[in-house]
Amino acid sequence: MFRLQRYPSDENAKPILIPRKDIAWEASAVFNPSVVYDNDIFRMLYRTYPEELGTTTPKYYRPGFKLSNQKSYIGYAESKDGINFERRKDPFIAPDQSFDMYGCEDPRVTKFDNTFYITYTAIDAPLGDKTKKPNIRIALASTKDFITIVKHGIVGPPVQSKAAALFPELINNGKIGLAMTISSDSSTSHVAIRYYNSIDELLNQTDDSWKEFLSCSKEKAVLKTHWWLERGPELGATPIKTDRGWLFIYSAESMAYVWTITAALVDLHEPHKLIARIPSFLLQPVTLYEREGIVPEVTFPEGAVIVGSDLYVYYGCADTVIGLATCKLNELLDYIESFKQ
């Protein structure tokens, strides 16, 4: 049985980032971080809840409370050691466009050529508002320096979809690959990959152009689930290239409202082909800060980078703080490959 080890140890675990109460846009929560290791600098994008976040009535179907003023921002932080991060005073991505006016959630950053591409979940109406159902869609932004940001708008399918990330290099005979979670937060949730000839093609998809892909995405998904489960898999971190395949660190499917971390390997050249996946978890909510918070019982992996022989996994804890867990990369790959069919 293989498990990730929490920072600084399982016996004395603690989060590496907590909300800054004096910063309005992140005063309530910091969570779901994506990290890229670039020129010896750990660059983190993380989701926040502002100080006006509130709770209303208890949820009847799972632990926790319904939320009010649930509008997310995305912050930027950087570090030289991957543990101690310096944050900015202002948000890096704020909800200011018609397609993301009510939330910029769960960023995932990929360095492709000399540009950093950032996928995030865009919300266009208040969550929980009974007068208008919000569209929950995949949006794309880009930056070259983490100072100037360009929003490109919606790039995902016209169905509830989120948790998407670009591969950091060309795959499948010179294609650009976008891995994404379709039918998220449901028993039919699955992770599929769509290929493009160029970034321009990715940016200029229409809702009609998605029909063929969506008609077979579940059957061709690289990570599927069983119909009797409460929730299917959800893409976690940006795919990581190893000499044995692309490593997916993701949120495991579940029969209960508990979010655990697991892993899979997919083919280097055709990543829609699964090599092996772990049938259980690498880390589950155990500590107080993972079990209690805005959304209880959550360890959600959204960042993973290779540092020397180690794998650093950054994850959101109870939608409130950010944790770090590590392992030896080759030991994890050996463990995943032991489940080859």
Side-chain angles (χ1 to χ4, degrees):
M1 185 169 62
F2 189 92
R3 296 288 183 260
L4 296 172
Q5 300 299 308
R6 293 169 181 81
Y7 170 82
S9 68
D10 280 339
E11 294 74 24
N12 187 36
K14 62 181 181 180
I16 64 167
L17 223 62
I18 63 175
R20 293 176 292 178
K21 299 300 183 182
D22 60 332
I23 303 295
W25 56 274
E26 71 161 60
S28 292
V30 295
F31 59 114
N32 292 2
S34 180
V35 176
V36 62
Y37 188 44
D38 175 57
N39 293 324
D40 297 325
I41 296 176
F42 297 81
R43 302 183 185 276
M44 175 189 286
L45 296 178
Y46 60 96
R47 178 179 171 187
T48 80
Y49 278 143
E51 62 183 359
E52 60 263 30
L53 181 78
T55 58
T56 57
T57 58
K59 295 178 178 178
Y60 66 88
Y61 55 93
R62 74 187 201 204
F65 290 80
K66 295 180 181 179
L67 301 176
S68 61
N69 301 317
Q70 191 179 350
K71 182 183 289 189
S72 296
Y73 295 75
I74 294 172
Y76 173 80
E78 61 181 53
S79 169
K80 292 183 178 180
D81 62 7
I83 299 168
N84 301 288
F85 282 84
E86 293 292 330
R87 289 174 273 185
R88 294 177 181 166
K89 291 184 178 180
D90 297 319
F92 183 61
I93 301 178
D96 58 10
Q97 301 295 313
S98 59
F99 59 86
D100 67 7
M101 187 63 70
Y102 287 90
C104 301
E105 301 181 353
D106 298 351
R108 289 168 175 83
V109 58
T110 302
K111 187 178 184 181
F112 188 87
D113 291 335
N114 293 315
T115 301
F116 297 92
Y117 289 96
I118 303 151
T119 55
Y120 65 98
T121 303
I123 312 294
D124 68 353
L127 293 167
D129 188 343
K130 296 181 180 179
T131 61
K132 180 184 178 182
K133 184 178 180 181
N135 290 302
I136 300 173
R137 302 282 297 276
I138 299 164
L140 183 72
S142 65
T143 184
K144 290 184 179 295
D145 53 13
F146 289 97
I147 297 172
T148 302
I149 184 80
V150 177
K151 288 186 177 182
H152 300 285
I154 300 298
V155 296
V159 296
Q160 180 163 318
S161 51
K162 59 181 182 178
L166 285 169
F167 284 78
E169 61 182 60
L170 297 177
I171 50 177
N172 196 27
N173 296 315
K175 304 287 187 181
I176 290 170
L178 179 69
M180 72 198 85
T181 308
I182 308 294
S183 301
S184 52
D185 300 317
S186 74
S187 60
T188 59
S189 172
H190 55 281
V191 176
I193 300 170
R194 189 176 184 187
Y195 301 104
Y196 302 88
N197 292 310
S198 66
I199 291 292
D200 283 343
E201 183 181 5
L202 167 68
L203 295 176
N204 290 287
Q205 294 298 305
T206 64
D207 286 354
D208 285 343
S209 72
W210 281 97
K211 288 181 179 178
E212 181 179 355
F213 176 83
L214 292 173
S215 68
C216 58
S217 68
K218 188 175 180 181
E219 290 72 24
K220 293 184 177 181
V222 64
L223 296 175
K224 305 176 183 179
T225 191
H226 301 290
W227 63 267
W228 64 82
L229 293 176
E230 180 68 33
R231 183 171 45 81
E234 184 171 334
L235 184 71
T238 298
I240 302 170
K241 188 178 184 181
T242 76
D243 58 0
R244 305 193 218 181
W246 289 100
L247 174 61
F248 279 21
I249 302 295
Y250 67 99
S251 180
E253 63 272 25
S254 178
M255 291 185 68
Y257 285 100
V258 177
W259 279 256
T260 62
I261 298 173
T262 191
L265 271 176
V266 303
D267 188 82
L268 273 179
H269 304 291
E270 298 179 293
H272 53 276
K273 295 181 179 179
L274 180 68
I275 296 173
R277 63 189 287 184
I278 297 171
S280 58
F281 59 84
L282 293 171
L283 188 140
Q284 67 173 344
V286 171
T287 68
L288 186 64
Y289 61 86
E290 295 166 344
R291 301 198 64 192
E292 296 183 8
I294 292 172
V295 180
E297 306 291 349
V298 174
T299 49
F300 191 88
E302 202 157 316
V305 295
I306 296 172
V307 184
S309 61
D310 296 322
L311 179 72
Y312 286 28
V313 177
Y314 296 89
Y315 63 101
C317 310
D319 282 14
T320 306
V321 299
I322 291 173
L324 169 64
T326 63
C327 68
K328 292 297 181 183
L329 176 63
N330 283 329
E331 292 179 5
L332 172 59
L333 297 179
D334 289 343
Y335 184 64
I336 299 172
E337 288 184 329
S338 71
F339 296 102
K340 281 184 178 179
Q341 297 298 318

